[in-house]
Amino acid sequence: MTNFLQDSVVPKIVKFTQTRYMQIILNAFMSVTAITIAGSFFTLLKSIPIDIWQKFLDSSGVGSILSIPVAITTDIIALYVLCAISYQTAKSFDIEGFSPLLISLGSFLILTPFTGIERSAGEGGEIITQTMDNVIPVSSIGAQGIFLAIFVGILATRIYIFAIKKGWKLSMPESVPVNVSNMFASMIPGGLVFTLFLLFRFILSLTPFQTAQNMIYGLLQLPLTAVGGGIPGVIVYTLAISIFWSFGIHGGMVAYIGMAAIISVMNAENLAAFASGSAAPHPEWALTPWTMMGGAGSTLALSILIFFFAKSAQLKVLGKMSLPTSIFNVNEPLIFGMPVMMNPFLIFPFILVPIINLLLSLLAINIGFLAEPTGASINLFMPFGIMGMLANSHWSGFVWSIVILIIDIIIYAPFFKAYDRRLLNAEKESEVTVTDEVEIKI
């Protein structure tokens, strides 16, 4: 079974993740992460669980000011994704990225309805619905627009590149400055892209969907997030990370490529809910501080066992290197140095422990022991315990980190002992062999 996975399944998955458009999507979402983390800094600042601080935020109006960076990152996240996708697509084809980025942004706005709905209470308490013109609905450029942003970013940029490479552009004399020449060179490709997207908008207006946002959200994004965005999706994502790492493949990167769009939607909706004072609608996607303590496989527990209890020389040296980095969720020294990958002693707990952590954390939330995550994006290199406390802005986040760590240590302990014993025996046999050789030579 192992040989089949290693020789047949894994190479195909790796080949798929290395395709042009998978790499474009991965690089785009990785670049957008900087925006969401910047907004989350203010989310964390606003959510510090100190009563005096919260009263100050409410009474002074500072709380409303701190909500602004959150709003301009999460409420319009689709625009950031669009720009990143377009830029990475152009870069992949060795085309200067600024012009196609602007064309893609214009194409997205062409598909965006400039009408919104305002609801207000009448004198009798009834709800009055009023259509407003010349406004952009936040839902069109927020989390609900991410999937459309991906399609438009790739398609608009590819059409632009196709026109450029076909030579459909206005060529200026060499005496004309480069910036002016580039402006004229983009006129025909840009006009072609705008025309096609304008035609697409008109066709959609004749359908029940009315808009591209409604079509993509209804046919693709909503079903995908319903299936892959809940607890089963988190379990699949968590399992994929551990399984791929077990075969020496960067599990986090591979799993993220496959579910980047869904993950981004879940995180954006969580953060938007927090900005509006609501509970995170997808708390299961914010449990990483407890499901993967120390990195993939939740190996902080394994690093602690190695550091304090290892008897083999190999693991003693490894423990000194891996524990400091594991505290900050960097476990590559452990995965490659032990090694964890392709290790029959450790593969089982490496895959199982994160799932146990996930299910226990969900249980702890349901019984009220663990406060729900706020939905803020946390820097994954925050130290153990602090990361858990920041995730839900509550003391229970720190306490639960310790509880989970103890459970992980108990699970990892017998597997660690068996592997450490094997290494120690191998080292003793090696010493005997070396001694015998020396005696023979003498």
Side-chain angles (χ1 to χ4, degrees):
M1 182 63 178
T2 300
N3 291 336
F4 171 75
L5 291 174
Q6 187 176 4
D7 298 336
S8 300
V9 178
V10 171
K12 292 179 181 178
I13 294 175
V14 171
K15 184 178 180 180
F16 172 73
T17 59
Q18 292 176 345
T19 58
R20 182 192 298 270
Y21 292 103
M22 288 297 100
Q23 287 297 312
I24 287 172
I25 292 173
L26 171 64
N27 293 334
F29 277 107
M30 292 296 288
S31 61
V32 170
T33 301
I35 295 293
T36 57
I37 290 178
S40 294
F41 170 78
F42 293 92
T43 302
L44 296 173
L45 189 62
K46 182 181 176 182
S47 63
I48 295 176
I50 300 176
D51 188 55
I52 296 177
W53 173 249
Q54 292 299 322
K55 289 180 178 178
F56 167 74
L57 293 181
D58 294 336
S59 60
S60 64
V62 173
S64 299
I65 296 176
L66 293 179
S67 297
I68 294 175
V70 181
I72 65 171
T73 53
T74 55
D75 288 355
I76 61 173
I77 188 66
L79 296 184
Y80 295 114
V81 171
L82 170 82
C83 293
I85 289 286
S86 178
Y87 177 82
Q88 292 295 337
T89 303
K91 182 180 178 181
S92 177
F93 287 89
D94 298 322
I95 297 292
E96 182 275 326
F98 185 69
S99 294
L101 186 153
L102 293 181
I103 297 299
S104 296
L105 178 60
S107 301
F108 184 84
L109 293 177
I110 285 176
L111 297 178
T112 302
F114 279 70
T115 56
I117 297 177
E118 182 183 35
R119 294 181 175 86
S120 58
E123 296 181 358
E126 71 281 5
I127 301 298
I128 300 175
T129 300
Q130 182 179 2
T131 301
M132 302 178 63
D133 295 325
N134 299 321
V135 296
I136 300 178
V138 173
S139 60
S140 297
I141 56 178
Q144 292 186 11
I146 287 179
F147 274 66
L148 181 63
I150 295 173
F151 286 116
V152 173
I154 292 176
L155 183 59
T157 305
R158 285 295 288 114
I159 296 174
Y160 177 90
I161 293 172
F162 175 81
I164 288 291
K165 292 193 172 182
K166 285 292 185 180
W168 300 346
K169 58 183 180 180
L170 296 176
S171 299
M172 304 299 292
E174 294 183 359
S175 58
V176 177
V178 175
N179 58 336
V180 177
S181 178
N182 290 338
M183 178 186 67
F184 280 96
S186 301
M187 289 179 61
I188 293 179
L192 173 63
V193 175
F194 280 0
T195 300
L196 292 175
F197 276 88
L198 193 61
L199 178 62
F200 184 47
R201 173 173 177 151
F202 172 73
I203 294 173
L204 284 175
S205 67
L206 303 178
T207 70
F209 293 111
Q210 293 291 305
T211 68
Q213 281 80 1
N214 290 341
M215 183 186 72
I216 295 296
Y217 185 72
L219 293 181
L220 185 60
Q221 182 167 326
L222 188 60
L224 283 178
T225 54
V227 175
I231 295 176
V234 179
I235 292 176
V236 170
Y237 178 66
T238 305
L239 281 173
I241 291 175
S242 299
I243 292 172
F244 283 122
W245 266 123
S246 297
F247 289 93
I249 301 170
H250 196 301
M253 183 177 296
V254 173
Y256 186 82
I257 290 176
M259 301 186 70
I262 292 176
I263 294 171
S264 297
V265 171
M266 300 296 102
N267 291 341
E269 291 183 354
N270 279 344
L271 196 54
F274 177 79
S276 64
S278 304
H282 314 287
E284 63 273 8
W285 283 98
L287 297 179
T288 302
W290 304 291
T291 59
M292 297 187 188
M293 297 188 302
S298 197
T299 54
L300 177 58
L302 183 58
S303 292
I304 291 175
L305 287 168
I306 295 172
F307 185 84
F308 288 103
F309 302 107
K311 296 180 179 180
S312 63
Q314 175 182 330
L315 293 188
K316 284 182 179 180
V317 175
L318 179 63
K320 296 176 182 179
M321 295 188 297
S322 66
L323 182 57
T325 61
S326 293
I327 292 175
F328 293 89
N329 299 303
V330 177
N331 65 348
E332 278 80 358
L334 186 67
I335 289 178
F336 294 106
M338 198 163 189
V340 172
M341 58 182 186
M342 301 300 294
N343 189 327
F345 288 86
L346 299 171
I347 283 181
F348 180 74
F350 186 78
I351 295 174
L352 183 63
V353 165
I355 300 301
I356 293 176
N357 293 351
L358 172 65
L359 297 178
L360 288 177
S361 298
L362 289 171
L363 177 62
I365 291 175
N366 289 333
I367 65 177
F369 179 81
L370 177 63
E372 288 197 9
T374 62
S377 296
I378 311 296
N379 188 316
L380 296 180
F381 302 116
M382 295 295 292
F384 163 76
I386 302 299
M387 184 178 180
M389 187 170 60
L390 291 176
N392 65 354
S393 296
H394 195 265
W395 60 265
S396 62
F398 183 85
V399 174
W400 185 245
S401 298
I402 297 176
V403 173
I404 284 293
L405 179 62
I406 294 172
I407 295 172
D408 290 356
I409 289 175
I410 293 173
I411 297 174
Y412 265 112
F415 299 94
F416 152 74
K417 289 180 180 179
Y419 185 59
D420 185 43
R421 190 182 305 114
R422 179 186 178 184
L423 292 179
L424 182 62
N425 291 336
E427 289 171 358
K428 290 180 178 179
E429 291 176 2
S430 177
E431 290 175 2
V432 171
T433 302
V434 171
T435 303
D436 291 342
E437 290 178 356
V438 172
E439 291 177 350
I440 291 172
K441 290 178 180 179
I442 292 174

